[in-house]
């Protein structure tokens, strides 16, 4: 089993990494037709931090097209893929605010996205007791 790491848009057509790169490109472009074409009819989206679950292509398209108003943008930093799975790290920005996002994707045998698990970690200050153990960037 081989794994690949790639920047958005690179990699073989049809690979799980390319499907994820295309997913983020369609989201950034608000091209909901292209976005929906990458999803299985029975796709399930989960956000463990908010405990949101969205089931089905139509519901997930609506969730994205209506649930995130504003002039936001996405920048893919990294995609790692293997077989029918991929993980992406992105930067979501709106105005001066940016937030990292980590997203896990599972694809079905046809190469459609069937499951998405989405994490949006918030930055926080390291505990003072660890200051002598690590540098800061």
């Amino acid at each position: 089993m081989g794994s690949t790491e790639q920047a958005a848009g690179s990699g073989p057509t049809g690979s799980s990494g390319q499907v994820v790169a295309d997913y983020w490109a369609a989201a950034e472009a608000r091209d909901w037709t292209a976005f929906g074409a990458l999803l299985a009819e029975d796709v399930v989206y989960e956000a463990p931090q908010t405990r949101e679950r969205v089931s089905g292509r139509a519901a997930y398209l609506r969730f994205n097209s209506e649930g995130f108003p504003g002039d936001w943008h996405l920048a893919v930093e990294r995609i790692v893929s293997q077989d029918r799975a991929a993980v992406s790290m992105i930067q979501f920005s709106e105005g001066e605010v940016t937030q990292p996002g980590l997203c896990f994707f599972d694809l079905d045998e046809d190469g459609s996205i069937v499951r998405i698990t989405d994490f949006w970690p918030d930055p926080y200050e390291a505990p003072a007791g660890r200051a002598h153990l690590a540098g800061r960037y």
Side-chain angles (χ1 to χ4, degrees):
M1 270 196 249
S3 65
T4 60
E5 184 174 331
Q6 59 200 35
S10 65
T13 301
S15 72
S16 58
Q18 185 61 55
V19 170
V20 170
D22 293 346
Y23 169 95
W24 289 122
E28 170 64 22
R30 286 24 165 224
D31 183 346
W32 304 121
T33 300
F35 187 86
L38 299 168
L39 306 172
E41 185 63 38
D42 59 348
V43 66
V44 175
Y45 167 88
E46 292 181 334
Q49 291 157 299
T50 60
R51 300 184 59 208
E52 292 171 290
R53 178 179 292 138
V54 181
S55 298
R57 180 188 297 140
Y60 188 55
L61 281 168
R62 184 173 184 202
F63 178 79
N64 280 278
S65 65
E66 295 178 23
F68 300 94
D71 186 26
W72 51 264
H73 296 280
L74 303 165
V76 175
E77 293 188 346
R78 185 174 183 184
I79 295 172
V80 179
S81 64
Q82 181 175 351
D83 301 326
R84 294 187 322 199
V87 178
S88 66
M89 182 174 172
I90 67 162
Q91 285 295 325
F92 176 92
S93 62
E94 186 172 6
E96 298 295 317
V97 177
T98 63
Q99 183 176 14
L102 303 170
C103 202
F104 294 79
F105 297 85
D106 294 312
L107 281 65
D108 63 16
E109 58 279 349
D110 296 324
S112 296
I113 298 169
V114 71
R115 177 169 288 281
I116 303 162
T117 307
D118 208 2
F119 294 92
W120 295 93
D122 287 324
Y124 62 93
E125 289 302 315
R130 290 199 314 234
H132 67 288
L133 300 172
R136 299 297 298 265
Y137 62 94

